[in-house]
Amino acid sequence: MRSRRMAAAVTTMAVVAGGLVSAAVIGVGPVLADHCDPAEAGQSPQASQTQQQNRNRNQGRQNDQQNDQQGQQEDQGQQQDQQGQQQDQGQQQDQQDQGQGQGQQQDQGRQDDQQAPQGGGIALLDPAQPPESADSESADSGNADPGNADPGNGEQANDPQATPEESANTFSRRRGGNGGNGGNGGRPTQSASPTASPTASPTASPSPTGTGAGEEECADLGPFPEDFVDIRQVAPVNDNARSGRNGSRGTFVSQCGTNRNGHNNPDNFIVAPGVSNGAHHLHDYVGNVSTDAFSTDESLAAAGTTCRLNDRSTYFWPVLRDRKVDQNVNDPDGNVGQVLRARSVTLQFRGNAASRVVAMPRFLRIITGDAKAATNGTANAKAGWSCSGFQNRISPDKYTLCPRGSQVLRILDFPSCWDGQNTDSANHRTHVVFPGQGGACPQGTRAIPQLRMTLAYTVPQGPSYAVDAFPEQKHNPVTDHADFANVMPDRLMQFVVSCINRGRRC
């Protein structure tokens, strides 16, 4: 009987130990930190406090459940001890009874052994079972706690019917702990106090002036949840001026591909000629294959092109990145994430609502938008974010959240009223300006074919993408911009003008 009591005691100790190991497994989860994902940034202090209270309540429920399990296991162990004592008393009475033999006592003992596994969950645990098996089962049950569920990758995050309020609330929660330096792309951060408590909450709200670890620094890179909007909440607009009797209604599309050849660099020969990394963000190029910081009229004219009809013009724009992917993490300018190549690139030249168009001069340089609009103001901003199927809804200052099956669109219109003399100007703007409100060009300028770039992207669901930008612009969507230099042969430019003025689609 001692062996049975010892077995019961060992069983109880194994189960209790398993519960303690399970508690340890539950309490120390893996640190998850999507690198600089705007879906994981920008939560308010109040939201952080609420989330921490929820975590505390969930942890309290886990502890209560573990204590209840341990108490049940101890009660079951005591019941087994009592059964063992009763069996001993029964054997003593059997020995005193002259009507029963020693063989009957042995038979009774065998029956007791067969009945031992019955009655209570404790009997389902084999004392010979390795502790690792019990621990793994306990760990699995602990990880199934809905309090640890991650809405960042859940169905709500992908639900196109979710309102922007739901999306912002869902995606503002940070998933990781402080994450060391892995969360800031290698950028230097202000370290936390060495005397800080190891149990300090990892959900402190990131702020531009915070002194947290890599996670807060990463969150400060931008963009933020408030930089996104559901496309269905953007008001429809009609930004196309109605063409008058003397207007030009035709179009010409230059087909130049989507940069499958991987022509990228952080240069801008228009704004920063001769300066490597003059843009401080990566550009996608189509058209002229030689474009870099040192391009000249002569080098562009001599180079090859990805465009049809020998259009050697250069078209370029800052890349878009998937911020859920840990790539380019050591970039000093904070442009982190996987580059998303446009699924389609439409380069359309359009007419003027009030007049016919004239040919662009060769080597004309034009820019649209302002790469520093977040700090300069929006006077020169010309960003346009939309979704396929919703082209009449264009957001000038927020990234768009599109329904499933719809692609994010960047619609970039260029100025089209040329001063008639210069191919560039000191600020790269005054030689070519935008038409007035009615579509007519200002006095002293003449209409040229207007370039409209439409770039379509497949992006991750939720607010988890960003355009490359100067670091101080924090990836604000209002900073979107693009550049163009006309290197069409004169004959091709005349064909473009003819198509537009005759109302043809070429």
Side-chain angles (χ1 to χ4, degrees):
M1 292 304 100
R2 289 183 179 179
S3 63
R4 278 194 287 272
R5 280 184 292 177
M6 291 180 63
V10 170
T11 300
T12 302
M13 293 176 62
V15 172
V16 172
L20 294 176
V21 173
S22 174
V25 172
I26 295 172
V28 183
V31 174
L32 301 176
D34 283 346
H35 200 88
C36 295
D37 182 356
E40 302 293 342
Q43 70 187 73
S44 64
Q46 182 178 3
S48 299
Q49 183 177 5
T50 302
Q51 291 167 5
Q52 182 60 27
Q53 292 174 353
N54 292 336
R55 289 190 179 93
N56 292 337
R57 286 196 293 268
N58 291 333
Q59 186 64 33
R61 296 191 188 100
Q62 293 176 2
N63 293 337
D64 292 341
Q65 293 175 356
Q66 293 168 7
N67 292 335
D68 292 342
Q69 292 176 356
Q70 293 177 3
Q72 292 176 359
Q73 293 165 359
E74 292 174 356
D75 292 342
Q76 292 170 352
Q78 293 175 358
Q79 292 175 359
Q80 284 192 347
D81 290 339
Q82 293 175 359
Q83 291 177 358
Q85 293 175 359
Q86 292 175 357
Q87 291 172 357
D88 291 342
Q89 293 175 358
Q91 288 179 351
Q92 292 176 1
Q93 292 178 357
D94 291 343
Q95 291 175 357
Q96 294 175 359
D97 189 354
Q98 296 179 354
Q100 294 179 351
Q102 186 175 0
Q104 293 177 346
Q105 294 176 357
Q106 294 176 352
D107 293 339
Q108 182 66 33
R110 294 190 188 98
Q111 294 175 1
D112 291 340
D113 291 338
Q114 294 174 355
Q115 294 175 356
Q118 299 177 358
I122 190 68
L124 298 178
L125 293 176
D126 185 357
Q129 182 182 11
E132 290 80 0
S133 300
D135 294 345
S136 62
E137 292 176 2
S138 300
D140 290 341
S141 64
N143 290 336
D145 177 20
N148 292 333
D150 179 12
N153 289 330
E155 294 180 358
Q156 184 178 2
N158 294 328
D159 184 5
Q161 303 299 327
T163 64
E165 291 79 12
E166 292 172 340
S167 298
N169 187 38
T170 298
F171 291 116
S172 65
R173 184 171 65 86
R174 300 296 297 179
R175 284 194 294 178
N178 54 19
N181 291 330
N184 66 351
R187 304 183 72 205
T189 63
Q190 297 178 343
S191 60
S193 171
T195 60
S197 170
T199 59
S201 170
T203 58
S205 175
S207 66
T209 58
T211 58
E215 179 177 301
E216 285 72 18
E217 179 72 15
C218 181
D220 188 39
L221 292 177
F224 308 99
E226 58 267 26
D227 291 325
F228 294 80
V229 64
D230 189 315
I231 188 62
R232 289 161 294 196
Q233 294 199 355
V234 177
V237 295
N238 183 10
D239 64 339
N240 295 321
R242 179 174 297 180
S243 181
R245 177 180 301 178
N246 297 323
S248 43
R249 305 179 182 181
T251 60
F252 172 84
V253 174
S254 188
Q255 300 180 17
C256 302
T258 60
N259 193 23
R260 289 182 178 273
N261 57 325
H263 184 184
N264 301 101
N265 60 52
D267 305 338
N268 191 324
F269 77 96
I270 297 177
V271 177
V275 180
S276 295
N277 194 36
H280 291 273
H281 50 260
L282 196 66
H283 283 133
D284 259 331
Y285 292 85
V286 297
N288 200 290
V289 297
S290 70
T291 313
D292 60 18
F294 307 97
S295 292
T296 63
D297 293 349
E298 294 74 19
S299 68
L300 293 172
T305 181
T306 66
C307 301
R308 295 180 58 198
L309 304 178
N310 200 30
D311 177 9
R312 300 185 185 184
S313 302
T314 179
Y315 308 82
F316 57 103
W317 53 87
V319 301
L320 209 63
R321 292 184 188 268
D322 177 356
R323 298 297 289 274
K324 284 181 171 291
V325 180
D326 290 5
Q327 287 191 7
N328 205 41
V329 294
N330 293 321
D331 183 63
D333 298 311
N335 292 304
V336 177
Q338 183 181 46
V339 172
L340 296 169
R341 191 179 73 236
R343 302 298 296 270
S344 67
V345 174
T346 303
L347 307 171
Q348 183 187 61
F349 291 89
R350 308 188 303 165
N352 183 272
S355 69
R356 296 165 66 88
V357 299
V358 301
M360 293 181 182
R362 203 172 192 208
F363 307 118
L364 177 69
R365 290 153 166 75
I366 315 178
I367 64 175
T368 187
D370 184 357
K372 298 183 178 181
T375 54
N376 287 346
T378 59
N380 293 314
K382 201 65 178 177
W385 298 92
S386 186
C387 299
S388 58
F390 299 85
Q391 285 90 327
N392 64 331
R393 301 170 186 259
I394 301 176
S395 172
D397 57 1
K398 292 186 184 297
Y399 296 113
T400 47
L401 299 175
C402 306
R404 284 192 182 94
S406 175
Q407 293 181 321
V408 167
L409 300 182
R410 297 165 71 182
I411 301 175
L412 296 159
D413 287 336
F414 282 70
S416 58
C417 298
W418 174 48
D419 66 6
Q421 297 180 354
N422 300 296
T423 58
D424 203 354
S425 53
N427 63 358
H428 314 291
R429 298 184 188 277
T430 55
H431 66 297
V432 183
V433 298
F434 282 94
Q437 187 174 4
C441 284
Q443 187 175 2
T445 65
R446 59 187 69 180
I448 57 175
Q450 182 189 39
L451 172 60
R452 166 174 283 188
M453 289 184 180
T454 304
L455 314 175
Y457 295 84
T458 298
V459 303
Q461 285 291 317
S464 296
Y465 68 92
V467 67
D468 265 20
F470 288 97
E472 72 277 6
Q473 304 303 308
K474 299 187 184 301
H475 303 278
N476 193 312
V478 78
T479 63
D480 201 12
H481 60 281
D483 302 75
F484 164 72
N486 171 44
V487 197
M488 288 186 185
D490 291 339
R491 185 174 179 179
L492 177 58
M493 178 54 67
Q494 290 298 332
F495 176 73
V496 173
V497 169
S498 176
C499 285
I500 292 174
N501 287 337
R502 293 184 179 184
R504 299 171 55 195
R505 294 185 179 180
C506 304

